[in-house]
Amino acid sequence: MELHDVWFVLIAVLWTGYFFLEGFDFGVGILTKLLARDRAEKRVLINTIGPVWDGNEVWLLTAGGATFAAFPEWYATLFSGFYLPLLIILVCLIVRGVAFEYRAKRPEENWQRNWETAIFWTSLLPAFLWGVAFANIVRGVKIDKNFEYVGGFWDLLNPYALLGGLVTLTLFTFHGTVFTALKTVGDIRARARKLASRVGVLTAVLALAFLAWTQADNGDGKSLVALVVAVVALLAALVANKGGREGWSFALSGVTIVAAVAMLFLTLFPNVMPSSLNPDWNLTVTNASSSPYTLKIMTWCAGIATPLVLLYQSWTYWVFRKRIGTHHIAESIH
């Protein structure tokens, strides 16, 4: 296997890790409007991801940096062609981080409600737009012979991409709901399980339609296996949630995300960004990659740094592993 193939796999792993981790905290942000009934419950939801949300975003920074270094042509075409949706995502992530930090700085109800509204929308929009972006990458966009995107913003809002956006939105919401059930106690835990059952059914319908469409257009035997794993894991997560096995349900919803993202990258390879105008203009792992020397240096750096990052992040989750409830929330900071 060539180094550019290795880095395609590594970038796929980074995006998978990002969607697994950021997926549930996007979902929790959405639940601040869908599940929480009062100030205390909103605070409980925010506290479940408070120690980890910023660490989860490191995976996005690493995935973006790795793409820039390993596949500069892919990075340039992607960020120029998808400039507006990626800018919206970036602004949402900035505002979301500020909202987490500033919500409890003042006790006024309007102040806290406005930041809670910001958390909801800045969780919902990226959860939808990431699906739109990746669906377009897999489907192919208007790339010319110079490897430049020549389409417009509205070309990105096609039925396949919009369906992909709905899948990531509902899947991340389901992932966040089972995470909430895993991390909370009391009434909010019971309501999270009930909501997860409803959201999970909708997610299963949308995901099956989207993945089947993907398989029909670009799939092979390997992607079909990933499709089956994703669907079976999602159904098993629903069963586990129904039985009150929140840990299993969360793990299986994570398997769903991993398998679904793996399927997208399997259907994409050896392309990194297909052209819908002419297959000869596809960006591939070969024509979009950096030099072998650059990839070699990156491989050494990744081999040293990645285990340290994984150990530190695992330790963070272990430290903050206990459940919380409204009785843990001081009245003065609701």
Side-chain angles (χ1 to χ4, degrees):
M1 181 181 287
E2 300 289 338
L3 277 179
H4 50 66
D5 297 329
V6 171
W7 273 97
F8 179 86
V9 174
L10 291 176
I11 288 171
V13 170
L14 290 171
W15 280 111
T16 302
Y18 173 67
F19 288 140
F20 180 97
L21 296 172
E22 190 86 303
F24 71 74
D25 70 48
F26 281 149
V28 171
I30 294 169
L31 292 181
T32 57
K33 290 289 187 183
L34 300 184
L35 183 65
R37 291 177 174 173
D38 54 31
R39 287 269 102 74
E41 289 191 351
K42 290 180 180 180
R43 186 63 184 180
V44 167
L45 289 174
I46 293 171
N47 281 5
T48 62
I49 59 173
V52 298
W53 67 267
D54 48 354
N56 294 343
E57 290 187 355
V58 170
W59 288 76
L60 172 62
L61 299 176
T62 308
T67 303
F68 172 76
F71 299 101
E73 282 285 359
W74 183 13
Y75 183 92
T77 304
L78 175 64
F79 278 78
S80 60
F82 292 23
Y83 179 81
L84 183 55
L86 292 178
L87 177 62
I88 293 172
I89 291 173
L90 177 61
V91 171
C92 283
L93 295 180
I94 293 172
V95 174
R96 188 168 178 264
V98 174
F100 282 134
E101 298 295 333
Y102 276 77
R103 176 194 173 274
K105 297 298 184 183
R106 291 171 56 179
E108 292 88 350
E109 183 176 347
N110 285 342
W111 172 273
Q112 295 191 1
R113 184 171 58 245
N114 288 339
W115 286 120
E116 288 160 5
T117 300
I119 290 171
F120 171 76
W121 286 109
T122 56
S123 299
L124 185 148
L125 287 174
F128 175 74
L129 289 175
W130 279 126
V132 172
F134 269 82
N136 274 299
I137 291 173
V138 172
R139 173 180 175 267
V141 292
K142 294 180 179 179
I143 299 175
D144 66 11
K145 62 182 179 180
N146 297 316
F147 302 137
E148 295 180 359
Y149 178 71
V150 293
F153 171 74
W154 298 110
D155 293 321
L156 303 177
L157 301 181
N158 54 79
Y160 176 76
L162 293 175
L163 178 58
L166 291 176
V167 170
T168 52
L169 175 59
T170 54
L171 182 55
F172 291 168
T173 303
F174 174 71
H175 197 41
T177 308
V178 295
F179 177 79
T180 299
L182 176 64
K183 288 288 292 179
T184 57
V185 295
D187 182 57
I188 192 170
R189 174 188 178 188
R191 286 188 283 113
R193 284 174 51 194
K194 291 180 181 178
L195 181 60
S197 295
R198 295 196 294 269
V199 175
V201 171
L202 176 61
T203 303
V205 173
L206 293 174
L208 180 59
F210 176 74
L211 296 179
W213 190 344
T214 304
Q215 178 67 24
D217 281 352
N218 304 300
D220 57 15
K222 294 179 181 178
S223 62
L224 180 59
V225 171
L227 185 156
V228 172
V229 171
V231 173
V232 171
L234 182 54
L235 295 177
L238 282 168
V239 173
N241 176 72
K242 188 74 172 177
R245 305 293 297 273
E246 290 104 342
W248 278 105
S249 183
F250 177 71
L252 288 165
S253 69
V255 171
T256 302
I257 293 174
V258 170
V261 176
M263 179 186 176
L264 295 183
F265 276 94
L266 285 170
T267 58
L268 189 61
F269 186 81
N271 298 316
V272 294
M273 205 165 177
S275 171
S276 60
L277 299 178
N278 189 330
D280 293 335
W281 300 339
N282 289 352
L283 283 169
T284 68
V285 293
T286 303
N287 64 25
S289 70
S290 294
S291 67
Y293 182 69
T294 300
L295 295 178
K296 185 177 181 179
I297 294 176
M298 289 176 61
T299 303
W300 278 105
C301 293
I304 296 170
T306 302
L308 299 176
V309 173
L310 291 175
L311 285 172
Y312 175 76
Q313 194 161 23
S314 299
W315 175 78
T316 303
Y317 276 92
W318 175 255
V319 170
F320 295 100
R321 67 189 182 279
K322 293 184 178 180
R323 296 177 182 267
I324 61 173
T326 54
H327 60 283
H328 294 111
I329 306 300
E331 183 66 31
S332 61
I333 60 171
H334 282 184

